Structures are given as C-alpha cells and as structure tokens.
Amino acid sequence: MKILLFLIALALTLQAQDLPNLDFRPAAPRKPLAPLESDTVKDPLAVKPESRLADLANVFEPASRVRLTKILKREYSRHRISIYVVTVSTMDAPSTVKLGEQLRKDWITDDLGGVLVYSRSTDKVSVALTDAAIKKIKESGPIQELANQIDKFNFEGPTRGLPKSITAILNQLRVSQDVGTAVDDKPLPLFLIYGPILIVLLILGIGMYKVCIILVANRVFTRTHVLHTPPVQTSLGSKTGGINTVEMKF
Amino acid sequence: MRCPSCLNPIEESVDACPHCHFSILGLDKRFGTVPRINRYITDLSSLFTERQERHLKQQIVRMERSFIGLHLAIVTMDVHRRFKPREYLFWLTNRCRFCPIDSREERSLFIVLFFDTASRTALLTTGYGLHATCSEENLQSALATGLPEFKKNRIYHGSVAVFKAVAGLLKSQLRLQKSSATNPQPVRAMATSTEIEETT
C-alpha cells in the first residue's frame, strides 16, 4: 500500500513539472530596464554653457578658449551684452542659421546679445542677434557693414576670425550703447564737480598759511613795546641789577 | 632800592651797604663757582615737566617779542640753607648772563623768576634797566598773583600767572610813561612798601 501511494505521488510530481505556471497572483512590478547607450548621451546644447562657449567641434586651443570665455564674460558683466559661441562639426549653412536662431531664443533672455554658430564642415559663421541688438546696430550704422566684416574675418579661420567677429559685434553694440547713454544726459560724477573746487581751495589755503607765517615772522600781528636801556649804573658792585628783588615764601 | 642782605634802603651808586657793608665782592668768596644757567629756563630742582618747560619757553619768547629788549628767565635751585636766597639771586644775576651773548647794551633789561626749593621761596628780580618801569610794589603784586598756585605746589601755573601779571604791568607802565612824555604832569612820590615778605 505504502509503495503504491509513493508511486502515485511520484507520478503526480513528475506530471506537475511539465505543467505551466498556474500562479494567478499579480506579478511584482518590473524594474525599468537600463537605458540604452544612445539615450545617455545628452544634448550638449540643451543647457546654455556657463562659459558662454560650446566648442563641440574642438576648434579652439585651451588657451584661446579661456581667452574667448574671458572676453564674453567680461562683456556681459560690464555692458550686459550676452554673446554665446557654438562650434559644430558637421552642419550645413541653413542648419547653422536655424540652430543659431533656436539657441538665441532659448538662451538669451537679456535684450542685447546673439549666438555665433561656426560649422567646421562649411567653415562659416552664422550670427543670430536679438531684435534689440539689431535695432541698436542699425541706429549706429548699416548692419551690412558688420556682416561684411564678419565675412572678412571668416577667411582668417575660426581661431583668429571668430574672436575678431565677436569683437566687431561687441564694438558695434557698445558704440550704440554709448550713443544711447549720451542722449540720457546723465549728471557728472561729484568728484568731477567738487574736485577742482577743492584743489583751488587747498592751494588758496596753503598760500594764505604761508603769507600768515611771513606776517607773524615780521611781527605784523604783534604789538611791540621797545624798552630803552638807561645809562649804566652800579650799586653794591653790581653792573646789571638784581637789587630790586621781591620774595615770597610758599 | 634795598640792600639784598639787610633790606635797609640804600642810595644808588654805592660800593657797599652803609648798614651791613654788603657788596658783591664778598659774595664771590661765599658762593664760589657760578652755576650753568640756560637762556630761558634752568630747572635744577626739577619742578617742571618737559611739556611745561616747553610751554613756559614759548610764553617767554612771546613776551620778549612783545617787549623788545626785555629778557626773561626762570631759575629753580636748591640754595644752601646757610645762604639767603635774595643774596644768592643778587649774585647770580650779576655773575650770569640772562641775555644773549651778542647783546651788549641790553644786559640790564631782564626779569628773573627764581625758586629756592630749600626754603620754599619765590623771588622776582629785575635789572637796572627796569627800575623805572617796575617798582618793588609792582613786582610784589605780580609775584603775589602766582602765590596761590605756588602754595599748591603748582609752580608752572603760578609762573604763568606771574608772567602774565608782569606783562600787564609792563604794558601799563609803558603806556603811562608815553602819556607822561606827551603831557608832562607833576611827579607824585610813590609810597614804598615796608614789608615784602609774606610768610605762610
């Protein structure tokens, strides 16, 4: 009997191994799959670079990159002119213009500024300026001149031409800024108004002091009394005096 | 004019006191070497601080500028108890120069304020050139202005007060002399003080 029961249990176990899983409990939530390699590579132009230079095409040497960054940051801190420079490896001309416009809209919140996009494949620079910057440049002179200048600098290569192009744009914007501030007719700084007055007063004071010293030395302010010496007399063998003496104990 | 030794009145131009036979020649033997005296302040008893000395000197120079020909000096010294301060000062004024070396005619135009710290006595003396301007009475009143300060051991303050009084005295006397020269008036005999000393 026992052997029979054992055989039945064995047969059932073997049969059960062949059956599909009949567990109807809800399955545990699956862990998300590891992202693909293609997904981990972020868009480098999604966030505006703090250095104001996104050198994706590795155009600049480290030293010139630092120099250019310095210029761009300085211009922003001093004149609030926000300029970004982007270099890309392969991109046709219309795409660089499109990218420049897109980045300008995304990155530049200030009034004055622009994005310069250099494509290594076309070896050309496209400039996307803000409306305010364009307006300012137009106020100070024709914008075509600036475009010609940038084209001219383009022939010198990116490492030399790009900084020159940036400088040309900055100069143009600064000139227009200066023109704008000159029209505002700001009051002069206080030291310019009172400085010369103070200097004149100081010189006058020194002069008066010297004159006073001379007058005092010449006894102009002192009322003098001239004592006359009487003829020499002698008493008790003395020749100068000392007889007329009073004394008090204290 | 009184004899510095016996304080009896003496006449001008006498070689020795008719009462006590006092003369300067006898003093040389008693006092010996002449001490080194500075032009303005000789503080041998160290009664003044450096600052006070400087201020006193400034005041003396100012006064000398106002009264051309006048020489002022302060001497503090510890005179030996055997000697009378008045005699010592008489000898000192005749044996030391309180005027600059180069002045020849103005040797008798001086006022010396002398402090003897041993006997705690303040003395004020003048040269012959000021006898007409500063009488004993006037000198006494000038010295009396500094006495309250001297009693408090504030010698500097007392000296300043005395010099101010002397300056006022000289000014008023010179003004009087000028006015009398322009409007001559009969000379009135001035009362002479009998006792000068004032003991505390």
Side-chain angles (χ1 to χ4, degrees):
Chain A
M1 188 62 186
K2 278 184 183 176
I3 294 165
L4 184 67
L5 281 172
F6 175 73
L7 287 171
I8 291 167
L10 187 67
L12 283 171
T13 310
L14 289 169
Q15 211 171 359
Q17 278 179 351
D18 295 333
L19 283 171
N21 190 5
L22 297 173
D23 191 1
F24 289 107
R25 286 178 299 176
R30 270 190 183 184
K31 283 184 182 177
L33 292 168
L36 294 171
E37 199 182 340
S38 59
D39 292 342
T40 54
V41 179
K42 285 182 183 175
D43 182 10
L45 300 176
V47 183
K48 59 180 175 183
E50 274 189 29
S51 61
R52 298 183 171 269
L53 171 66
D55 189 14
L56 304 180
N58 285 326
V59 170
F60 295 102
E61 294 290 319
S64 53
R65 195 179 296 164
V66 169
R67 209 179 309 132
L68 191 60
T69 305
K70 216 173 180 179
I71 293 168
L72 296 171
K73 281 185 176 177
R74 189 188 63 204
E75 286 303 321
Y76 182 71
S77 61
R78 283 189 187 171
H79 303 286
R80 293 281 150 195
I81 298 171
S82 182
I83 298 241
Y84 289 89
V85 177
V86 178
T87 63
V88 288
S89 299
T90 50
M91 202 174 269
D92 56 349
S95 300
T96 51
V97 173
K98 206 176 172 183
L99 178 66
E101 285 296 325
Q102 185 60 44
L103 293 177
R104 177 184 64 78
K105 281 177 192 167
D106 293 346
W107 289 356
I108 300 173
T109 51
D110 303 87
D111 284 343
L112 288 177
V115 179
L116 280 82
V117 182
Y118 169 78
S119 171
R120 194 190 267 271
S121 58
T122 56
D123 197 22
K124 278 194 175 177
V125 177
S126 71
V127 183
L129 294 171
T130 58
D131 295 339
I134 293 167
K135 199 180 167 187
K136 284 270 179 191
I137 291 168
K138 276 181 181 173
E139 277 173 10
S140 59
I143 201 162
Q144 193 55 43
E145 268 185 31
L146 182 64
N148 292 340
Q149 271 186 337
I150 292 168
D151 281 343
K152 205 171 116 186
F153 293 137
N154 211 21
F155 288 115
E156 296 181 21
T159 46
R160 294 179 73 185
L162 258 178
K164 284 185 179 177
S165 304
I166 292 161
T167 314
I169 294 167
L170 290 171
N171 284 342
Q172 202 74 21
L173 285 172
R174 254 186 264 139
V175 167
S176 48
Q177 260 194 343
D178 292 344
V179 169
T181 49
V183 173
D184 288 346
D185 195 19
K186 280 186 179 176
L188 282 168
L190 284 177
F191 74 90
L192 280 179
I193 300 166
Y194 294 112
I197 298 169
L198 275 174
I199 289 165
V200 169
L201 284 175
L202 197 68
I203 291 165
L204 278 175
I206 291 166
M208 291 280 283
Y209 176 70
K210 290 208 165 182
V211 167
C212 283
I213 285 174
I214 292 163
L215 292 176
V216 167
N218 290 326
R219 295 176 180 170
V220 173
F221 300 124
T222 321
R223 196 176 168 187
T224 53
H225 309 272
V226 181
L227 296 169
H228 298 287
T229 318
V232 178
Q233 69 180 103
T234 56
S235 293
L236 305 174
S238 70
K239 287 182 180 175
T240 56
I243 296 174
N244 203 2
T245 305
V246 292
E247 65 177 303
M248 281 183 178
K249 285 190 179 289
F250 56 90
Chain B
M1 195 181 287
R2 294 165 180 279
C3 170
S5 183
C6 63
L7 299 178
N8 283 313
I10 52 167
E11 288 180 7
E12 285 180 10
S13 306
V14 288
D15 292 335
C17 173
H19 309 283
C20 62
H21 306 288
F22 172 83
S23 87
I24 198 162
L25 297 172
L27 294 177
D28 288 332
K29 287 177 187 171
R30 286 173 66 190
F31 297 136
T33 317
V34 180
R36 188 178 172 181
I37 297 295
N38 296 327
R39 165 79 178 82
Y40 297 107
I41 298 163
T42 310
D43 188 16
L44 298 177
S45 299
S46 302
L47 296 180
F48 306 116
T49 60
E50 271 185 29
R51 196 178 169 196
Q52 287 175 342
E53 256 189 50
R54 205 166 50 243
H55 285 186
L56 276 173
K57 189 184 168 185
Q58 282 173 359
Q59 195 176 356
I60 289 171
V61 169
R62 219 175 295 139
M63 269 183 77
E64 286 185 354
R65 272 186 194 159
S66 300
F67 300 97
I68 296 166
L70 178 69
H71 303 296
L72 289 159
I74 299 179
V75 181
T76 72
M77 205 177 276
D78 198 1
V79 180
H80 198 279
R81 290 188 186 278
R82 282 187 300 158
F83 308 138
K84 289 179 185 173
R86 190 187 277 258
E87 286 180 14
Y88 190 83
L89 182 58
F90 172 67
W91 174 75
L92 198 69
T93 49
N94 283 284
R95 292 292 176 253
C96 298
R97 284 179 75 107
F98 289 101
C99 55
I101 300 275
D102 54 344
S103 66
R104 289 177 184 174
E105 295 176 354
E106 298 164 353
R107 284 188 65 178
S108 60
L109 282 172
F110 65 84
I111 296 176
V112 179
L113 181 59
F114 185 85
F115 294 97
D116 174 23
T117 43
S119 62
R120 291 181 65 80
T121 312
L123 297 99
L124 191 65
T125 188
T126 62
Y128 287 127
L130 293 168
H131 276 201
T133 318
C134 303
S135 65
E136 273 187 16
E137 272 185 342
N138 293 334
L139 283 179
Q140 186 74 32
S141 61
L143 190 60
T145 54
L147 194 63
E149 299 290 343
F150 296 151
K151 280 182 179 173
K152 293 175 194 168
N153 271 337
R154 294 169 60 171
I155 307 297
Y156 164 74
H157 296 90
S159 305
V160 170
V162 170
F163 277 138
K164 276 185 183 170
V166 166
L169 165 71
L170 286 172
K171 271 182 197 171
S172 61
Q173 290 299 317
L174 288 168
R175 214 174 293 141
L176 271 177
Q177 282 178 3
K178 266 187 188 175
S179 62
S180 62
T182 49
N183 305 316
Q185 286 177 353
V187 180
R188 287 166 60 188
M190 289 178 76
T192 53
S193 63
T194 51
E195 198 55 51
I196 306 160
E197 285 190 10
E198 193 175 297
T199 313
T200 54

